[in-house]
Amino acid sequence: MNEESPKAIFYALAANFGIAVCKFGAAAYTGSGSMFAEAIHSTADCGNQLLLLFGMKRAQQPANALHPLGSGREIYFYALIVALLLFFVGGAFSVYEGVHRMLHHEPLSNPVVALVILGISVVLEAFSLWGALREIRKGAPNKTLWRWFRETRESELLVVAGEDVAALAGLAIAFCAVLMTMLTGNPMWDAGGSIGVGVLLMVVAYVVAREVKSMIVGESASPEVRKAIDAHLRARPEILRIISLITLQWGKHVVVAVQAEMIDYASGRALIDAINIVEDDLQRTFPQVRWVFFEPDIARDKAQPEQMY
């Protein structure tokens, strides 16, 4: 897990706070439903970033008798809460606000002000997204954003990036809705923009929640880390054959369980010493590997395919 992830969260928190203040002022001044929906969205985002920071702090608690592997996966819980808030507070409320204004035909005043605020918001939101993308590129310089999204184990950075992408797209929808309302004089465009923003947020929240749920259930280390660990173990002279390799992402750490056929040793003590050497070397090479469970065994069926998870 990228140790720089909190930077992306602070970028997002600063940007969303400034955006929320501007949007609420513009919504009160213009009466724009799309602007008010965007203001609620930005306020929810501020709360979301605070929740992520709190979750990261909680995840640093040391291991104890109740949680022998520590609390690293607690950040996944808070990431899921953030996704739910994005769905209900941001998305569902925006849809409600849009439907309400559509039914009551509430007019829009001073749309130019709303457009200026939306333009400022785009700049601030782009700054937040730039911060998130910079941290993503540090850990995955050669991956597409979608591939990183599907393979990353950094739930907090995934949530921030998802929020930022949704926010920029939502701003584009709101800008178009206000502009069409100004050009046509029809407030239904503004109401429809609010509904569009809400639907967009709910879709993004669902996709983010699905990824975080998979982490909560228990995901292996990322594919490149898993393959690198497998290659490292196969290259060890002490190991004759890897029978099974299981990795489990535990917050920013990784749990590794290995079942391997070892070369012949003169005594049980010599075998134990060899296993300790392999474990120490693995943890030096991969600092994120906090726990290693190594089981020496003999392959019962040579034709049986080796397993790696």
Side-chain angles (χ1 to χ4, degrees), residues 19-29 35-36 38-43 117:
I19 291 171
V21 171
C22 293
K23 286 178 180 176
F24 271 119
Y29 187 71
M35 183 63 69
F36 187 67
E38 279 291 318
I40 293 297
H41 171 207
S42 296
T43 303
I117 294 301

Side-chain angles (χ1 to χ4, degrees), residues 22-88:
C22 293
K23 286 178 180 176
F24 271 119
Y29 187 71
T30 64
S32 168
S34 295
M35 183 63 69
F36 187 67
E38 279 291 318
I40 293 297
H41 171 207
S42 296
T43 303
D45 282 350
C46 289
N48 291 345
Q49 273 101 52
L50 291 174
L51 271 176
L52 289 175
L53 290 171
F54 179 74
M56 293 182 71
K57 183 69 175 178
R58 294 278 302 174
Q60 295 174 3
Q61 294 183 104
N64 54 43
L66 184 60
H67 301 102
L69 298 185
S71 301
R73 293 177 68 180
E74 190 163 347
I75 183 61
Y76 302 156
F77 168 78
Y78 287 97
L80 182 61
I81 294 297
V82 166
L84 293 175
L85 288 174
L86 183 64
F87 186 95
F88 290 106

